[in-house]
Amino acid sequence: MIESDLRQAWKKPHRIASYPIAVLSVVVAIVAVELITRSLHAEPIASLMLCAVILAAWFGGFGPAVLAITLALLAFHYYLVPPSNSFTWKHNLLVVGISEVPRLILFSITSLFVAFAISAQKNATEALRHSGADLQTAIEGQKRVEAALRRSEMYLTEAQRLSRTGSFGWNVLTGKIVWSDETFRIFQCDRTTIPTVEFIIQRTHPDDRAAVQDILQQASSKGSDFDLEFRLAMPDGSVKYVHAVARAERDASGSVRFVGAVTDVTDAKEAERKLRRSETYLAESQRLSHTSSWAWDVRRREFVYRSTGVYYIFGFDPEKGAVPLQTFRDRIHPDDRVRNVEALSRAIREKADFEVDFRIVLPDGSIKHVHSVGHPVVNSDGEVIEMIGTHLDVTEQYEAQEKLQRAFDEIKKSEDRLRLVIDTIPTLVWRAGPEGIPDFLNEPALYYTGLSLDQAETGWPRAFHPDDKKGMLQKWSAIRETGTRGGLEARLRRFDGEYRWFLFEAEPMHDEAGNIVKWYGSATDIEDLKQTEVALRESEQRFRDYAETASDWLWETGPDHRVTRISEHYNAVGIVPSRITGLARWDVATDVESEPEKWRLHRAVHDAHQPFRDFVYRAVSANGSPVYVRSSGKPFFDASGNFLGYRGTGTDITATIRADHAEEALRNAQAELAHVTRVTALGELTASIAHEVNQPLAAVIANAEACLRWLDNKTPDLAKARRSAEWVIEDGIRASEVIRRVRALAKKSEMEKALLNVNHVIQEVIALVQRKLSSHSVSLRKELAPSLPMVLGDRVQLQQVIINLVMNGIEAMEPVMDRPRELVIRSGQDETGRVLVSVTDCGVGISAENANQLFNAFFTTKSSGLGMGLSICRSIVEAHGGRLSICRNEGPGATFQFVLPLHQEDAL
Ligand code: ADP
């Protein structure tokens, strides 16, 4: 209860109680008058009654004062009634002397005036006192309101700060704008800033300025409320989003004022942006992962949410608005609809998650496979209110799975095929763990070893030959340590106890981390191969032995005829093999310039990739002395027939050549001898013999020297020394034979006829002319009849005939460059059984005009010829009862042949 109410409550009883005060004050005055009158004999009634009136007026107010006046008048009147001046019992109360009336009236007037004045005074004082109290109360109220205001302002400011909402007022007419603290904060300016529309526009983001200006303009001109959102470009470069709302008010003059609020919604905007972005991400991720989400309101029996992905999965465009539930359902494959509904109903009933796969049939007939997962949302009453879930487009996975299944089926089939292959191939196949112990053997392996699969694990080492087991285990662990493919050879026992050589090859299989998980291997029966290899090695060794004994070294050249390989024996020549490698024969030879024709032919043979035999050339040894080399080679080709080079042998024939030179001289002497035998006088002949016999002797000396050199070598080559010595003997015999024949001729002794095999005579001649043939690059072909009857003849003379014919043939082929020079010596029998010898060349041939003169003595077409050869030959042949003639030649060249009669006994 407030103070004024209390005062009111107190005032009412006081006014009622003031009337007794009036009575009491009059009574007190009467008593006082009585007392004073009696004691002082004065007449104080007027003044005392006045006092009573004053008291009544003061304490009771005007009403009680009137009552007091009335009572005072009565008392006064009574007092004045005789006996006056006393308040004793009086009978004539109503008798009032007229003289008393003025007194009474005066008293009444005075009393009334006093009463009025005092009560007025009292009222005024009272009113003053009341108004002072009211003022106090009002001031206190004011203070309370102010405090409340301050508090609420503080709350407001705090609320504004917390809600980031500032308030503003805008008087359009004056342009004055009032901001709250928060508004200043939002605009990031201090309180000294005077907010204006220009300032606001200037702080507005440039992109939003025009729009803001437009809205403010319209709102201010129309006096309408506005609500706008815009950005602020802050001095620090940041951007703030603000939302301003204002209500327009018009004052009495009609001018517009706005009161409004501005809220910093940057955080909300940012959150919204993030939300939107994450929504976009979600939508994108759903799109990419072919997923979508949905929510099914169980009570309303409808989807309350479907992500855009749901639309896409069902083949709808979410942009084209909502699609009725039934339309969605219609797209589900008819066979899957019931199952779908049942799965959902069961999940709701059992309050459990559900998973279901169904198909969607799109309008173009294509099928989509969807995997749907749902989760129930249960409220506090335990009731399922919603099912939320996802649809996952698993078409690709489904197709991939189908493909995978097909692939698996294929793999299974091919695995079966593979197993069939593995079990039927004639190779032992095995598999082992990383520690090397086999855990699989194919059928042939089990069959071969006689092991069962169970025994394989522990029994496999016993299947190896005892001599190979240790080495095999060591090699196998070495292969495993390298972790790479490897192989080994060992003998494996067959079920019947026989051991056969096998090649074991192992290949590791790695897991993704690179660890070996298995070893796969094969064991191939190489027993036959091994035996072949041994045989091959033996044969290789045999041929090497042949080659090495038939020659001094072996060599190989490449397609460019440069040496690629040469055996160390080449050292024998005194040339280091490495010096020769990379060089062609003609790079090493020193007779290329002196014998161009020989080398031209040799190179032609090379270019034609023809084999060559006994090609002799000169080179220089390390110490500068000439060496003679005999080389034979054969071209070799790859499987496609491409030429790869030559392989061949080489022999140091320096010693032989030296001996041959002597032999050649001897032979020349023989030839010359044959020429001059018949034409030179005996004396001249004898002198000539003395001279010519020196030649074989020189050969003897040369061979003897060669023999000594072979013996003087660090390791004496006895074989070659022996050969040289044999040649010495042969040369000596031949020389003495010449002398003996000449002697016989000189003595005119008969020819020394003996039974001869003409083939042997031919062979001897070939041996004698071999050097001549090769130095003239002439190849010799022999066509000797295998069993000829013997003839009776002089060996040396017949040799001279054949030598002459061969020499003529060689010389006739000298100009031939465009074809191989070939000489053919044939032996045989003519139709009458006579022994027949022919020498065919492919030389210049014989012209018809010369044909008749050839056998004439001294007919020659050669600058250095004597023209005696054929004439002597004819004489010798005829002396043997035979005939020498020219035959027609098929091709180019000439053929000379002679026939010899058979020995009489043979003829018989
Ligand atoms: P020479 O050989 O000293 O000339 P020959 O009596 O041996 O004496 O030969 C006589 C000639 O016969 C030769 O000069 C040569 O013209 C010719 N003649 C010999 N043999 C042949 C031959 N095989 N081919 C061609 N002409 C030959």
Side-chain angles (χ1 to χ4, degrees), residues 675 804-805 808-812 839 841 843-846 850 853-856 858-862 864-871 893-896:
H675 275 291
N804 226 320
L805 297 179
N808 277 346
I810 291 170
E811 284 163 4
V839 177
D841 62 72
V844 292
I846 298 160
N850 288 347
Q853 309 175 60
L854 295 185
F855 297 101
N856 295 343
F858 304 114
F859 176 81
T860 180
T861 55
K862 300 166 191 168
S864 60
L866 280 174
M868 288 302 295
L870 286 178
S871 137
T895 301
F896 285 82

Side-chain angles (χ1 to χ4, degrees), residues 442-488:
N442 71 343
E443 279 301 319
L446 293 172
Y447 177 77
Y448 180 89
T449 55
L451 293 170
S452 70
L453 205 53
D454 306 337
Q455 293 169 324
E457 208 166 297
T458 50
W460 68 280
R462 283 199 297 280
F464 285 87
H465 193 286
D467 295 350
D468 300 346
K469 202 187 293 178
K470 195 173 161 204
M472 179 277 296
L473 288 172
Q474 280 172 349
K475 278 186 191 159
W476 179 213
S477 74
I479 290 169
R480 291 203 314 279
E481 265 172 38
T482 61
T484 52
R485 185 196 174 95
L488 58 91

